[in-house]
Amino acid sequence: MALSPRKRAARNRYIQYAVLAVIVLVIAFGANWGELHRAFWDWDIVKAQFPDVITTALKWTIIYTACGFVFGLALGLVLALMRLSSVGPYRWIATGIVELFRGLPALVVFLFLGVGFPLAFPGREIPGGNVGTVTLALGLVGGAYMAETIRAGIQAVPKGQLEAARSLGMSHTRAMRSVVLPQALRIVLPPLTNELILLTKDSSLVYILGLSIDQYELTKWGREGMNSYANLTPMVVIGLCYLLITVPLSIVVRRMEASAGRAR
Amino acid sequence: MTTTANERAGAAIDVRELRKSFGSNEVLKGIDFHVSNGQVVCVIGPSGSGKSTLLRCVNMLEAPTSGQIFVEGDEITDPDADVDALRSRIGMVFQQFNLFPHMTVLRNLTIAQEKVRGRSRSEAVEVARRNLAKVGLADREDAYPAHLSGGQQQRVAIARALSMDPDMMLFDEPTSALDPELVGDVLAVMKELATEGMTMMVVTHEMGFAREAGDKLVFMDDGVIVEEGDPREVLADPKHERTRAFLSKVL
């Protein structure tokens, strides 16, 4: 006899719980916990990481990411407005930059800037040293993505908003600044925060520039620690540090999405 | 001819030989028409007749393909015209209200006063409150547009336009997006404006409003003005066959 839809749904739910329980049991009893513990969570090594993993590595990851994000946001806004320009060459240039830096792996951009720039301009350096290079590289990569997000956000603001602002006598610039962009940014805030999370992880690529020990960010810190202890514990510690940054950001995004849903 | 010329000399809105094409589609096919100071002109016609496009040309939200438009004697279609300054003297009310959703009602009314008119915050707030009271929404100044009904939003939109102290008001089907029971409040505000002597150009389907408050009725079809005259006469005794056919469908 065929089950009623409601009974079938209930049965499917039981099956899903059962699968989950089996997986948990297999991991709990199947894994070699002693070996895992030795390789990934050696308390002495964990204790040795502090406080420097916070005061150096976490600090630099945040600095690199923040600088890259701020520059990327400004660049993304400019590129988005260029892509919406009525002047053809602006559109083409912006499209070129977006496609280039969206298409290249971040590592390649870091290499080009870190190695290519000193070769191209001997004796000169990117202002700000490593921080400047990271800002530029992360900003270019992030800005290319954010440009597309911001452009979509601007276009998602109903055309009547611009018309209403213009009909009150506002100039195009004024109308964009006071009416369109605030609404567009509200729309793109969640995807922009996701971009910030991605940049946090991309900031690990700074190692390719060659860092002095007091400039290590989290990933470089973890790798060095892993090599010197021949143990994975430092990697677990820095992994937790990344989550310390990204999980709160994710929560903020979810809050924003929920409140945006209410305002609409 | 001379009478028309004299009458036109002081016209609030004077449209001459106006043509507008979207691509190969000619929407306005030579419109000649004027609105005198203090006059309430209602424009009716089937959808696609070009009536909204005509209205949107008056404040240059649509750029005409050819022809001239004068606003209080200033040519807004002149390439050297300060369109922003002219627009600030022309209030516009949209079918979809187009309130700024990220601002409170009060801010909706003050922002252009401050940024365009250069008024101080306190002066702008005073003007805004006066106009909110006029449309019967004095108690909603802190609300956001999303929390207002359509009829309230449209009245706020009217108050927003009035806060710029415009010489004239354009209405683009102001009640077409409203639930039937909310239409009356908006029309009441518009009638009050009309009795105060505001120059108004109203694209509408509300024949009752045209009959009661209108000084002139313009019937458009297929990009031309088919018939114009006193609203009561045109509605009761249309001269043109196309007017008659349209009115028989909507009345």
Side-chain angles (χ1 to χ4, degrees):
Chain A
M1 199 184 77
L3 288 168
S4 73
R6 211 189 315 172
K7 281 194 178 142
R8 201 178 315 139
R11 188 194 58 186
N12 287 344
R13 219 165 23 241
Y14 287 133
I15 293 174
Q16 289 177 42
Y17 278 119
V19 169
L20 191 64
V22 168
I23 292 173
V24 169
L25 288 174
V26 165
I27 292 174
F29 290 104
N32 185 341
W33 287 105
E35 203 50 46
L36 275 177
H37 189 265
R38 226 177 344 272
F40 285 98
W41 199 252
D42 183 326
W43 269 111
D44 291 333
I45 301 179
V46 171
K47 280 178 208 144
Q49 302 297 307
F50 289 92
D52 291 2
V53 69
I54 303 291
T55 54
T56 303
L58 182 64
K59 179 188 83 175
W60 280 108
T61 290
I62 290 174
I63 290 174
Y64 293 144
T65 307
C67 290
F69 183 73
V70 169
F71 175 59
L73 191 61
L75 182 71
L77 186 59
V78 172
L79 288 174
L81 291 172
M82 282 172 75
R83 288 207 64 169
L84 294 169
S85 165
S86 53
V87 182
Y90 278 129
R91 282 201 307 274
W92 307 329
I93 292 169
T95 307
I97 293 175
V98 167
E99 291 305 333
L100 182 65
F101 289 102
R102 216 163 46 148
L104 288 176
L107 184 68
V108 175
V109 177
F110 270 88
L111 263 179
F112 282 177
L113 282 174
V115 181
F117 189 89
L119 287 178
F121 305 100
R124 317 194 67 172
E125 54 181 28
I126 297 175
N130 276 340
V131 176
T133 311
V134 181
T135 302
L136 215 56
L138 279 184
L140 282 168
V141 173
Y145 278 99
M146 288 191 264
E148 287 300 276
T149 309
I150 295 171
R151 181 184 58 84
I154 292 173
Q155 287 177 327
V157 177
K159 199 163 146 270
Q161 291 291 311
L162 185 62
E163 289 185 346
R166 297 305 304 274
S167 78
L168 288 165
M170 290 187 200
S171 66
H172 188 268
T173 313
R174 166 54 67 190
M176 286 299 282
R177 222 171 71 195
S178 294
V179 175
V180 177
L181 284 180
Q183 294 183 58
L185 288 178
R186 201 159 302 185
I187 295 170
V188 300
L189 217 49
L192 284 187
T193 314
N194 282 330
E195 183 60 31
L196 180 55
I197 293 173
L198 292 177
L199 283 185
T200 308
K201 294 182 289 174
D202 275 349
S203 71
S204 65
L205 297 168
V206 66
Y207 77 87
I208 207 146
L209 302 176
L211 297 170
S212 61
I213 191 159
D214 56 350
Q215 283 188 322
Y216 283 0
E217 45 67 60
L218 286 170
T219 300
K220 178 72 173 166
W221 178 277
R223 280 156 56 119
E224 293 298 322
M226 181 176 71
N227 288 340
S228 59
Y229 290 108
N231 187 290
L232 283 165
T233 304
M235 279 306 208
V236 177
V237 173
I238 66 113
L240 292 174
C241 287
Y242 274 112
L243 294 178
L244 208 62
I245 305 175
T246 56
V247 170
L249 283 176
S250 296
I251 292 170
V252 169
V253 175
R254 229 165 291 142
R255 289 258 170 86
M256 283 188 305
E257 280 169 344
S259 71
R262 274 199 301 277
R264 282 278 142 189
Chain B
M1 189 65 218
T2 39
T3 46
T4 346
N6 283 341
E7 198 186 335
R8 281 190 149 189
I13 304 169
D14 190 353
V15 177
R16 296 181 190 173
E17 265 308 300
L18 179 69
R19 287 175 182 276
K20 171 68 182 175
S21 302
F22 293 104
S24 60
N25 180 23
E26 191 170 46
V27 180
L28 298 176
K29 302 171 178 171
I31 301 282
D32 258 286
F33 144 98
H34 71 276
V35 179
S36 303
N37 262 308
Q39 215 176 20
V40 176
V41 174
C42 295
V43 184
I44 61 169
S47 67
S49 59
K51 54 194 194 304
S52 279
T53 307
L54 170 62
L55 191 82
R56 291 162 58 84
C57 280
V58 170
N59 70 352
M60 293 288 281
L61 283 184
E62 302 288 355
T65 309
S66 69
Q68 290 174 301
I69 299 169
F70 295 85
V71 173
E72 299 284 355
D74 295 319
E75 188 188 347
I76 195 169
T77 44
D78 183 342
D80 294 329
D82 185 348
V83 175
D84 291 341
L86 287 170
R87 277 187 186 136
S88 72
R89 289 159 41 190
I90 310 171
M92 177 136 183
V93 175
F94 299 85
Q95 183 177 350
Q96 297 297 337
F97 329 135
N98 294 346
L99 293 179
F100 307 135
H102 59 304
M103 300 177 189
T104 62
V105 164
L106 191 66
R107 191 63 186 142
N108 263 278
L109 270 64
T110 56
I111 182 154
Q113 291 189 63
E114 289 172 34
K115 306 294 182 192
V116 178
R117 278 275 180 280
R119 287 177 185 157
S120 69
R121 169 62 64 96
S122 57
E123 190 187 356
V125 167
E126 196 185 306
V127 173
R129 291 204 170 121
R130 195 168 64 227
N131 284 304
L132 277 179
K134 190 188 184 87
V135 300
L137 291 169
D139 54 334
R140 303 310 303 270
E141 65 172 54
D142 292 325
Y144 281 86
H147 298 135
L148 302 177
S149 74
Q152 290 173 329
Q153 288 193 48
Q154 192 61 297
R155 284 185 281 152
V156 171
I158 293 172
R160 176 174 72 178
L162 289 175
S163 294
M164 299 295 283
D165 295 325
D167 298 332
M168 66 198 70
M169 292 279 285
L170 309 178
F171 293 85
D172 188 4
E173 303 199 20
T175 56
S176 298
L178 296 177
D179 291 336
E181 76 273 19
L182 302 176
V183 169
D185 290 341
V186 173
L187 288 182
V189 169
M190 290 170 63
K191 279 175 197 160
E192 191 191 330
L193 273 182
T195 41
E196 284 171 7
M198 174 62 79
T199 307
M200 292 162 68
M201 181 171 167
V202 186
V203 170
T204 188
H205 296 291
E206 295 290 335
M207 301 303 157
F209 175 81
R211 192 183 290 118
E212 278 178 55
D215 299 307
K216 181 158 88 172
L217 186 66
V218 174
F219 172 67
M220 282 182 71
D221 192 13
D222 198 23
V224 295
I225 292 178
V226 176
E227 184 167 351
E228 60 182 303
D230 182 274
R232 285 148 292 267
E233 284 171 27
V234 174
L235 288 172
D237 181 23
K239 297 281 178 288
H240 202 285
E241 181 52 43
R242 277 195 278 177
T243 320
R244 224 169 292 153
F246 173 73
L247 289 177
S248 73
K249 271 181 230 158
V250 297
L251 286 181

